[in-house]
Amino acid sequence: MIVPLGSARMAENQRYKITERIDAGGMAEVYRGVAQSAVGGLKKAVAIKRILPNLTKNKKFVSMFLDEARVSMHLQHANVVGVFDIGMADTAYFIVMEFVDGANLKTIIESLRRQGQRMSVAHTLYILMEVCKGLQYAHDVTDPENGRELGIVHRDISPPNILVSKRGEVKLVDFGLAKATSQLESTDPGVVKGKFSYL
């Protein structure tokens, strides 16, 4: 399965087509795309997260990225962005996720600030309650093969990682810094992961 991440064309045997770049950070970039079924030509909007090309040779980062995919594949909850697939294209790994038609909380807060407004207490409490539902689920989820708790702790809860859909759904994304018993990569003693202002 090869995804033409540098172009919008899709060969007949390829399952994903890129339509636009949504976001990029220091380690990965996210695209909006379309997943196409091999049977019946059914299509679904997806988000595709890909390791930046310059980091593909960094084994530690690739292990962290694969850990994110491994952790996320276990999560199926209304308040967590679903992960459907993982693959490789042109030596770069990618994760195929649920596409949330909306914006992240950071964008929403900045938009309100530009208009001289603040989020209402009611909306703030609603978003926080939905985030807590997603976190509680992640903390309690078990491995479907052996029934053991995965012990998932997100470790990067901040406005950019909270998505709000146009219909008001609140979903956690980016378990890249999550801690779980299923991880291959462990955090060195004394190292703190996450955004300092939100810890």
Side-chain angles (χ1 to χ4, degrees), residues 42-53:
L42 301 173
K43 295 181 180 180
K44 179 182 181 73
V46 293
I48 300 171
K49 181 176 182 178
R50 178 182 81 150
I51 294 178
L52 290 175

Side-chain angles (χ1 to χ4, degrees), residues 55-113:
L55 293 172
T56 56
K57 292 179 182 174
N58 182 328
K59 289 182 181 179
K60 185 164 185 154
F61 180 73
V62 169
S63 289
M64 282 175 51
F65 191 82
L66 293 175
D67 274 338
E68 175 184 358
R70 189 175 293 104
V71 166
S72 298
M73 292 286 266
H74 288 290
L75 303 175
Q76 296 176 8
H77 188 269
N79 298 113
V80 177
V81 169
V83 170
F84 308 128
D85 197 5
I86 182 168
M88 187 179 224
D90 300 328
T91 73
Y93 286 99
F94 63 89
I95 300 172
V96 181
M97 305 176 286
E98 168 187 5
F99 175 73
V100 178
D101 189 13
N104 68 45
L105 188 56
K106 179 181 179 187
T107 301
I108 294 168
I109 291 170
E110 288 173 351
S111 176
L112 288 170
R113 189 175 294 136

Side-chain angles (χ1 to χ4, degrees), residues 72-83 98 129-141 169-172 175:
S72 298
M73 292 286 266
H74 288 290
L75 303 175
Q76 296 176 8
H77 188 269
N79 298 113
V80 177
V81 169
V83 170
E98 168 187 5
M129 286 191 313
E130 296 298 291
V131 166
C132 287
K133 288 177 189 177
L135 288 174
Q136 182 67 51
Y137 166 79
H139 292 172
D140 294 341
V141 73
E169 301 156 310
V170 178
K171 293 177 180 278
L172 290 173
F175 281 76

